[in-house]
């Protein structure tokens, strides 16, 4: 198992399916959740009172305005795209299970740890490989806020 702890992208050169191994772990990202961004997302996509009004969130027992779960997933996607920008990804066949384990509040700085949990060449498309990650999103205190399973099809260097 390889643990790459970086805040910079894990890879800087072109990366292919063969560059990943089962159990590889990557740490990346630092994204601060800002009130204006959280409100804008909630107004457009998830207009629940606890996403739109700090007083409503506090009345429900939260310390402040809480981020929409899909907003947290969108932050993960941005951090992942930045971290793996050099990867020759083809397409994602989908996401798996998503768990929101604790609220993300204004001022949290989110980072990610991703572990390779599935890896296989595709028989139907020999130019591609299939890769799954279990992703853990944590706040600046190291508390686990969200988990998400994601899948990629990635170009292979060796197409045999």
């Amino acid at each position: 198992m390889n643990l790459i702890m970086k805040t910079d992208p894990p890879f800087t050169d072109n990366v292919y399916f063969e560059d990943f191994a089962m159990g590889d772990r990557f740490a990346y990202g630092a994204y601060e959740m800002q009130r204006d961004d959280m409100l804008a997302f909630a107004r457009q996509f998830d207009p629940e009172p606890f996403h739109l009004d700090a007083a409503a969130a506090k009345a429900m027992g939260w310390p402040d305005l809480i981020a929409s779960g899909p907003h947290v997933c969108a932050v993960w996607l941005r951090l992942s795209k930045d971290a793996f920008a050099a990867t020759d990804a083809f397409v994602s066949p989908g996401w798996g299970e998503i768990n929101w384990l604790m609220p993300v509040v204004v001022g949290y700085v989110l980072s990610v740890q991703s572990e390779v949990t599935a890896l296989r060449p595709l028989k139907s498309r020999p130019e591609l490989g299939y890769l799954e990650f279990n992703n853990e999103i944590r706040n600046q205190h190291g508390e686990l806020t969200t988990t998400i399973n994601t899948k990629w099809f990635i170009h292979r260097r060796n197409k045999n």
Side-chain angles (χ1 to χ4, degrees):
M1 177 166 53
N2 184 19
L3 176 61
I4 300 171
M5 300 291 288
K6 287 187 160 188
T7 53
D8 295 328
F11 302 111
T12 55
D13 296 327
N14 288 341
V15 178
Y16 298 90
F17 172 77
E18 292 83 3
D19 296 314
F20 292 93
M22 282 292 293
D24 278 355
R25 292 181 60 85
F26 305 93
Y28 53 92
Y31 184 93
E32 183 176 352
M33 299 299 289
Q34 297 181 5
R35 185 176 306 276
D36 289 345
D37 294 337
M38 291 166 63
L39 288 168
F41 189 97
R43 280 187 201 108
Q44 186 168 4
F45 299 109
D46 195 359
E48 295 287 346
F50 43 86
H51 298 320
L52 294 169
D53 181 0
K58 289 176 184 177
M60 295 179 73
W62 310 119
D64 200 345
L65 191 71
I66 64 173
S68 168
H71 187 185
V72 174
C73 290
V75 168
W76 164 81
L77 185 57
R78 174 78 268 167
L79 293 174
S80 175
K81 291 294 183 182
D82 291 344
F84 294 97
T87 303
D88 193 6
F90 177 68
V91 69
S92 170
W95 294 358
E97 188 172 320
I98 301 170
N99 295 291
W100 294 294
L101 304 171
M102 68 177 291
V104 170
V105 298
V106 174
Y108 273 13
V109 178
L110 302 180
S111 61
V112 181
Q113 285 194 6
S114 299
E115 180 178 0
V116 176
T117 57
L119 188 69
R120 68 179 183 276
L122 291 177
K123 292 179 184 176
S124 61
R125 302 218 33 200
E127 74 278 12
L128 298 174
Y130 173 82
L131 176 70
E132 270 188 45
F133 280 111
N134 280 340
N135 304 283
E136 295 181 343
I137 303 169
R138 296 180 181 273
N139 64 22
Q140 71 271 27
H141 308 295
E143 298 166 316
L144 185 60
T145 68
T146 309
T147 60
I148 180 172
N149 172 268
T150 56
K151 302 161 185 170
W152 290 3
F153 291 149
I154 300 177
H155 284 101
R156 294 178 66 197
R157 183 181 293 113
N158 305 317
K159 296 173 176 66
N160 304 342

